[in-house]
Amino acid sequence: MLGESDTDLSTAYDLAMLDLDGVVYIGGEAVPGAPAHLDAVREAGMRLAFVTNNAARPPTAVATHLRELGVTADPDDVVTSAQAAARVLVERLGAGARVVLLGAAGLEEALAAEGLVATDVEDEDAQALVTGYGPEVRWRHIMRAAVRVRDGLWWVASNADYTIPTAYGVAPGHGVLVETLARFTGVDPVVAGKPQRPLLDETVRRVGGRRPLMVGDRLDTDIEGARNAGVDSLLVLTGVSGLAELVAAGEHERPTYLARDLAGLLRPHEAPTGSEGGWELGGWRATVADDRLEVTGSGDAEAWWAVVATAAWAHVDAGGAVPGTDGLTAP
């Protein structure tokens, strides 16, 4: 169920770990209001970390893009799955280890920063393979790497996102390569990015914070990642997760808080009250009858989303089916 906070989240927590696409920006534009909301969060004393599963771009490039959109950001504020993967590697192998690299500049830079030696797929002295999104990676190198992993080379993947947004639409992401190699080799890699916890652990290590909060728009990466790392989360509704995804969320994908956008960091949060007979908040009441959600009342949009989610989850947890949402429209 949803949580409560008597104070603004920006004071209840000391670090916001922010997903990027769908939270801070969408494509080439900032989410409306995001730069101002983040400035206000910083003024309240909360640290900000910009967390991305994209291993291709170095933190400097990410920070530059954010500043172009009006978001205050330095490279040290950015933590990538490439950096998390490098941390996983150096903690097991130590600095100076030779690592076969299949990826782009962001991953190469992250390895070098940890004192690891990026090498090619023919290097017999390599102690591991690391893979990440890299549009220039050649198929012959993928083939050779696959054989080496099958024969025992340790494999770390930056992330396993199945899709990636591009200027020409949603395209296959690094997760497609991960699945291909795993099926051929029979080996599952250590994955550094969300929803696995190394990326969030690395974020806390780099940026600091004793009470971190994950902020994201995807239930299956951001929110599940927070659950895996044992931290609270805020789901914002500016990205890919909508009504159908929210009501169907399993316990491992349910956020602590809900908000329409990043302004949700700047206010307290109240949870719906009630039981299987109905859940109420802010003038709204949600019930489930014959496996269908019904909402009555009036009020603000965030309270509507909260009662809908809570009623659906309570119904599923009591043994019911995921309730239908036909005819429901958020205010």
Side-chain angles (χ1 to χ4, degrees), residues 34 106 112 307:
V307 297

Side-chain angles (χ1 to χ4, degrees), residues 54 118 193 205 215 328:
N54 188 333
R205 191 191 74 82
V215 184
L328 286 185

Side-chain angles (χ1 to χ4, degrees), residues 21 28 39 58 93 95 103 113 119-120 139 147 156 164 235 254 276 292 299 310 314:
D21 200 7
D39 284 344
L93 303 177
T119 187
D120 64 54
W139 183 252
V147 173
V156 175
I164 186 170
L235 178 74
R254 296 174 186 171
E276 290 183 29
R292 288 180 55 81
T310 302

Side-chain angles (χ1 to χ4, degrees), residues 25 28-30 35 57 60-73:
Y25 56 70
E29 302 291 335
R57 292 193 298 168
T60 300
V62 176
T64 298
H65 179 54
L66 288 169
R67 289 195 299 271
E68 291 170 349
L69 299 178
V71 177
T72 302

Side-chain angles (χ1 to χ4, degrees), residues 200-238:
L200 300 193
D201 289 342
E202 182 68 2
T203 300
V204 173
R205 191 191 74 82
R206 286 175 175 268
V207 183
R210 302 182 66 177
R211 302 183 310 280
L213 178 73
M214 181 66 210
V215 184
D217 70 309
R218 294 188 68 106
L219 298 171
D220 59 348
T221 55
D222 303 322
I223 306 307
E224 185 176 351
R227 288 272 187 163
N228 287 337
V231 302
D232 288 345
S233 61
L234 170 68
L235 178 74
V236 293
L237 300 170
T238 48

Side-chain angles (χ1 to χ4, degrees), residues 119-271:
T119 187
D120 64 54
V121 73
E122 300 296 341
D123 186 348
E124 295 298 330
D125 293 326
Q127 296 174 258
L129 164 73
V130 63
T131 63
Y133 173 71
E136 305 303 321
V137 173
R138 296 179 180 274
W139 183 252
R140 62 187 176 89
H141 295 153
I142 294 171
M143 291 168 58
R144 182 71 176 98
V147 173
R148 295 200 63 183
V149 168
R150 185 193 61 189
D151 292 345
L153 187 65
W154 185 45
W155 174 25
V156 175
S158 64
N159 68 298
D161 294 36
Y162 209 70
T163 62
I164 186 170
T166 73
Y168 45 86
V170 176
H174 179 54
V176 174
L177 175 60
V178 171
E179 180 179 328
T180 299
L181 292 180
R183 289 179 63 184
F184 174 80
T185 64
V187 175
D188 291 324
V190 175
V191 178
K194 300 171 291 179
Q196 307 307 319
R197 68 176 295 165
L199 177 54
L200 300 193
D201 289 342
E202 182 68 2
T203 300
V204 173
R205 191 191 74 82
R206 286 175 175 268
V207 183
R210 302 182 66 177
R211 302 183 310 280
L213 178 73
M214 181 66 210
V215 184
D217 70 309
R218 294 188 68 106
L219 298 171
D220 59 348
T221 55
D222 303 322
I223 306 307
E224 185 176 351
R227 288 272 187 163
N228 287 337
V231 302
D232 288 345
S233 61
L234 170 68
L235 178 74
V236 293
L237 300 170
T238 48
V240 300
S241 294
L243 182 60
E245 292 81 12
L246 190 63
V247 300
E251 187 174 356
H252 63 291
E253 296 179 324
R254 296 174 186 171
T256 314
Y257 309 103
L258 279 171
R260 294 196 71 171
D261 57 26
L262 290 173
L265 290 168
L266 298 166
R267 64 171 181 83
H269 285 252
E270 185 179 358

